[in-house]
Amino acid sequence: MKRVIGIFLTLILVMSTLVGCGQKNTPADTSGTKTETKTETKTDTKTDTKTDTKTETKTDTKTETKESTTIRVAALEGAYGKELWEDACKAFEEETGIKVELIIDKNIEDVIGASMKAGDYPDVVSLATGRPAALTETMIKENAMEDLSSVLSMTVPGENVKVGDKIAGGFTETSLTNPYSDGKTYMMPMFYNPCGLFYNEGLFAEKGWTVPKTFDEMWKLGDKAKEEGIALFTYPTAGYFDAFFYALLYEVGGADFFEKVTHYEEGVWDSPEAQQVFDIMDKMASYIEKSVPSNANNDNYLKNQQLILDNKALFMPNGTWVTGEMKDAPRADGFKWGFTALPAVKEGGESYSFTWFEQIWVPSEAVNKDAAKQFIAYLYSDKAAELFAKHNAIQPIIGLTDKLEGEQKLFYGIYDNGSKAALGGFAATEPVEGINFNDTVFGTINSLVTGDKTKAEWIDAVKKDSDLLRPALK
């Protein structure tokens, strides 16, 4: 797809009737945007007038998408807020002439879910996997996403560089972007976050404690903190243990073991490496503040995060967005965010930090796919990256981390300090009735903490569901 570097002069009057990049919380009626019959490019017809040809030549518009097009972009309003999306949409409109109708909400699945079931799809959706509603996972399972491999070879609108040349290595070669292992990219990586353990650096300095380098050191610190009425761990919701769990898989068995686990290989959960993972997770559960499970939901998770700021817990698995979520929260005197990768499983072992990133995708039933792809390509422009970075939303763009300062430099520099990056997740399968594997693996942490389930019961459930998912692999 060639980039847009001009606007159709003959469509100025049409532009005044279109909806701009305004915030909407409900899908809009698109009946007023169907102008294709009068805005076809010269490649779609053999009867274009000479006037049309001259106009296209003068403006050098080399795309199938006209400025009269309006695309609908649905985005989750997360910890970064909504202004970054409003700014990006406006900048895209100015660059291409394509209009954007922004649908943004903290529960975007509720806003667009019903209309999608009725066949009314947004053109672009910014929504990551791992959400309780699992809308993105459902789209994957139903093969309902457009192949975006061509976006990687597109020229970034307003620049002279290909999208694929700007994205850091590895981010478009993972199951989080290529869910079917067919060499095609269906989801593009957006804001990424090194995930690990957050803590109060000020408290450690006050107590004279050092950050554990191994899990054995972690348990010893937990016993010491318990004597002072401080829990070793808290967590926002059980789902946040995905990053912890994936990094741990890498630590105990490397990339090969990770691949076997995430592709449900027969017998993998009976391996010594898997038993080590279960043992560590179970022991960790015994060190978690007991009030956490009751607040581990979308309504009260901030209370669990507050435990770190109040010095009632030492460590919390999370991503870099947490500092924005808690920026106005009260905190103990001398509080200072600290961040570390998982401790190694043994002395001299490797330490990993999982890199979690949000995904953006196009429904296969979207109406304006070409314009949607242009929009996604533009999100990797220097202009868009700068707008996003102002809201602490960092993309995996080569060279971007060199421009960071303060806490962001600390967080995104974790891989400069000896820690390794873990990428990937459980492979997509055909829908299997009654199974939500993320809930089976991660959600059970709540029950381990409360004592409602034992480690043996957890292992049995994981093995059972894994066996059922194996034949359903895509």
Side-chain angles (χ1 to χ4, degrees):
M1 182 75 68
K2 300 180 180 179
R3 71 176 176 87
V4 179
I5 60 174
I7 308 175
F8 285 96
L9 299 177
T10 57
L11 297 176
I12 294 176
L13 293 177
V14 179
M15 285 292 294
S16 65
T17 66
L18 294 176
V19 180
C21 183
Q23 176 192 349
K24 290 186 180 289
N25 287 331
T26 57
D29 179 6
T30 58
S31 60
T33 63
K34 298 180 180 179
T35 58
E36 292 93 338
T37 56
K38 294 185 179 181
T39 58
E40 295 293 327
T41 63
K42 60 182 180 181
T43 58
D44 291 332
T45 177
K46 297 181 180 179
T47 58
D48 284 346
T49 65
K50 294 181 180 180
T51 301
D52 288 336
T53 302
K54 291 179 181 179
T55 300
E56 290 171 355
T57 301
K58 288 180 180 180
T59 57
D60 194 24
T61 301
K62 300 176 181 179
T63 176
E64 297 176 1
T65 304
K66 298 292 188 179
E67 66 178 78
S68 60
T69 302
T70 296
I71 62 172
R72 290 189 295 162
V73 175
L76 174 70
E77 182 185 345
Y80 306 121
K82 62 184 179 181
E83 186 179 343
L84 78 169
W85 281 110
E86 294 170 341
D87 291 346
C89 290
K90 181 179 179 181
F92 173 72
E93 289 182 334
E94 292 173 351
E95 177 62 39
T96 66
I98 299 170
K99 292 298 183 181
V100 181
E101 179 186 311
L102 179 62
I103 308 165
I104 187 165
D105 196 272
K106 293 180 179 179
N107 294 296
I108 192 64
E109 302 96 329
D110 296 339
V111 176
I112 65 175
S115 60
M116 288 175 64
K117 289 179 180 179
D120 181 18
Y121 291 83
D123 296 298
V124 178
V125 181
S126 178
L127 183 67
T129 55
R131 295 271 296 171
L135 175 60
T136 299
E137 287 87 342
T138 298
M139 295 292 286
I140 294 172
K141 292 176 181 179
E142 294 180 353
N143 293 304
M145 290 182 173
E146 180 74 6
D147 178 7
L148 299 182
S149 302
S150 62
V151 175
L152 296 172
S153 59
M154 289 174 62
T155 299
V156 177
E159 299 181 1
N160 293 313
V161 62
K162 302 293 186 184
V163 173
D165 292 336
K166 298 197 72 171
I167 300 176
F171 278 88
T172 56
E173 302 163 6
T174 166
S175 61
L176 295 177
T177 54
N178 302 22
Y180 307 124
S181 300
D182 59 358
K184 298 179 180 179
T185 298
Y186 292 84
M187 295 179 285
M188 294 289 287
M190 279 300 292
F191 315 128
Y192 82 104
N193 298 271
C195 297
L197 299 176
F198 287 77
Y199 62 97
N200 178 6
E201 192 175 298
L203 177 63
F204 274 69
E206 176 188 330
K207 298 290 186 181
W209 295 340
T210 58
V211 177
K213 296 185 180 299
T214 67
F215 274 102
D216 284 341
E217 292 179 5
M218 179 69 81
W219 311 140
K220 291 178 182 178
L221 176 60
D223 294 335
K224 186 182 297 185
K226 186 177 181 179
E227 294 175 358
E228 301 197 28
I230 304 173
L232 182 60
F233 285 105
T234 181
Y235 56 88
T237 67
Y240 277 66
F241 276 107
D242 55 359
F244 187 103
F245 190 86
Y246 291 141
L248 187 57
L249 292 177
Y250 273 92
E251 288 195 357
V252 301
D256 288 343
F257 176 65
F258 180 87
E259 183 74 7
K260 293 176 181 178
V261 167
T262 54
H263 285 76
Y264 320 105
E265 181 171 299
E266 186 172 1
V268 68
W269 295 111
D270 292 317
S271 67
E273 292 86 356
Q275 292 305 308
Q276 189 175 15
V277 170
F278 286 128
D279 289 344
I280 290 174
M281 297 292 288
D282 184 55
K283 189 163 187 175
M284 179 199 60
S286 69
Y287 282 96
I288 291 172
E289 159 62 39
K290 299 306 179 183
S291 67
V292 168
S294 63
N295 292 316
N297 53 64
N298 287 339
D299 294 325
N300 297 314
Y301 72 97
L302 294 178
K303 294 180 180 179
N304 289 340
Q305 295 182 169
Q306 185 66 39
L307 295 177
I308 296 295
L309 284 75
D310 292 340
N311 289 338
K312 293 181 179 179
L314 292 186
F315 293 104
M316 169 180 61
N318 217 312
T320 56
W321 60 83
V322 68
T323 60
E325 286 182 330
M326 307 303 289
K327 63 183 175 63
D328 297 324
R331 58 201 64 204
D333 291 341
F335 181 89
K336 181 181 179 182
W337 284 111
F339 181 57
T340 184
L342 265 63
V345 295
K346 62 182 179 180
E347 190 73 33
E350 294 178 334
S351 176
Y352 275 84
S353 168
F354 184 80
T355 294
W356 185 91
F357 59 87
E358 300 181 29
Q359 301 110 318
I360 192 166
W361 41 275
V362 173
S364 57
E365 296 297 322
V367 174
N368 300 300
K369 294 180 185 178
D370 289 339
K373 292 177 182 179
Q374 277 189 266
F375 177 79
I376 292 177
Y378 180 74
L379 298 182
Y380 298 94
S381 68
D382 291 345
K383 175 65 174 179
E386 179 183 341
L387 292 173
F388 288 139
K390 288 181 179 179
H391 299 274
N392 296 321
I394 309 302
Q395 299 156 277
I397 293 176
I398 296 172
L400 188 57
T401 56
D402 296 336
K403 304 175 184 178
L404 302 179
E405 299 177 351
E407 287 180 351
Q408 297 300 330
K409 194 170 187 65
L410 166 68
F411 301 152
Y412 288 89
I414 191 170
Y415 303 119
D416 298 330
N417 300 320
S419 298
K420 293 190 173 183
L423 287 166
F426 287 114
T429 68
E430 298 291 346
V432 178
E433 186 176 357
I435 294 181
N436 181 329
F437 202 53
N438 283 338
D439 191 52
T440 301
V441 178
F442 312 128
T444 305
I445 298 297
N446 286 331
S447 298
L448 292 177
V449 176
T450 61
D452 292 336
K453 284 190 178 181
T454 65
K455 179 178 68 172
E457 290 174 327
W458 181 36
I459 294 174
D460 287 344
V462 170
K463 291 167 64 175
K464 176 178 175 292
D465 286 359
S466 183
D467 288 341
L468 292 172
L469 290 171
R470 189 180 311 114
L473 268 172
K474 286 186 176 295

